Amino acid sequence: MASRTPEEPGPEPDARAARRRRFATAAREERPDLSLLCLLVAAEADPGLDEAGLDAAQIELDRLAGLLPYQPAGGPGAWARNLAELLGTRCGFGGSPADYRRLSSSLLHEVLRRRRGLPILLSVVWMEVARRAGAPVYGVALPGHFVVGFGDPAGAHVLADPFAGGRLLTDEDAALLVAGATGGQLTRPMTSPADPLEIVLRVLNNIRAWAEARPEHSAVQLWALDLSLLLPSRPARLRLERAQLLVRRGEFLEGAAELTEYAEVVAAVDPAGAEAIRRQAAAARAMLN
C-alpha cells in the first residue's frame, strides 16, 4: 500500500467526496462501526490508505483479538489484565507526552503500525480488540484522558488506562486523572460508556486542536471540521469555526457567505452575537477590495 505522510496534500476531489459519503453513511448506521469511522478519519489525512489498507487494519485488529483467551475466568478484571498483558506488555502499545505532538497519534492505522498514540486512539484499539474477543468493554471519556472499562458500568467493573500500557485504575487513580486535567472532581456521569459517535467527534476535536496550534496545517483543521459536520450530532458552533477558518485561509468570499448563514441561524436566540458575526462577514468581503 502506497502511503504519504499526513501532512502531504489530500486525495483527489472525487475520491475525497466518495470517502466522505461513506463516512456520513457509516455514522448514521444503527450501530456505527467505530474502527471503520476512525479509519475513514485516518484516510482523510493519509490518501495512501486505500481499501486494501483499511482491510489490513481491520485484519490486524482481528489478529490481535485471536491472541486473547476466550472468556477468561475472573470476570472484568481478568479481561483487563489479559488485554494489558497482550497489548501493553507483549505488543508494546502505549503512549508518552511526545505522542501528543504527532498527528499520526490520532490516526488508527498509524497507531496500529507504530503502537503509539493518544489515549483515545489506544483506547479504540483496546475496545476493538476486546470486543472482537467477546469482552464486555466500553469507552470512558474522562475529561482530558480517555480510558476503557470492562464489565457492567452500573455494577462490577474495572477501568484501565491504555496510554499507560493498560494499567488498572482504582477510583482514586481516575479521580487524580480528572483533577490533573480539569482541577475538578470525578463524578459518576464521567465514567458512563461513551457513544461511538462521541468518540469519533473527540478524535476529530483532538485533530482540530493539533492543527489549530500549527497554522501551517490549516488544511488539516479544515478537513477535521468537515468530517465533524457530517456527524448526526455535533456542536452548531463548528459551522462558525469553519467559516472563520476559511477567512484566515484567505478564502474570503466563501468564509463571508458561511458567516452570514450562521448569523441567520443564531439571530433568533442571540441578536447581538449575530450582528457581530455579520460584521465579521463584511470585514471578510472588504479584504477583496
Side-chain angles (χ1 to χ4, degrees), residues 163-178:
F163 193 72
R167 179 174 70 96
L168 298 188
L169 300 174
T170 65
D171 290 344
E172 291 75 16
D173 293 329
L176 284 172
L177 286 175
V178 172

Side-chain angles (χ1 to χ4, degrees), residues 137-151:
V137 66
Y138 55 95
V140 179
L142 294 180
H145 197 94
F146 205 98
V147 299
V148 295
F150 294 88

Side-chain angles (χ1 to χ4, degrees), residues 30-91:
E30 183 177 354
R31 293 184 177 181
D33 184 331
L34 177 60
S35 58
L36 174 61
L37 286 165
C38 287
L39 286 168
L40 291 172
V41 169
E44 193 77 18
D46 181 0
L49 184 59
D50 54 14
E51 198 66 35
L54 296 177
D55 289 343
Q58 298 278 22
I59 290 168
E60 175 64 3
L61 292 169
D62 292 341
R63 184 189 73 82
L64 292 169
L67 299 176
L68 283 170
Y70 181 69
Q71 292 191 342
W79 277 114
R81 287 188 292 272
N82 284 341
L83 263 293
E85 195 280 330
L86 170 64
L87 297 179
T89 302
R90 288 167 55 188
C91 296

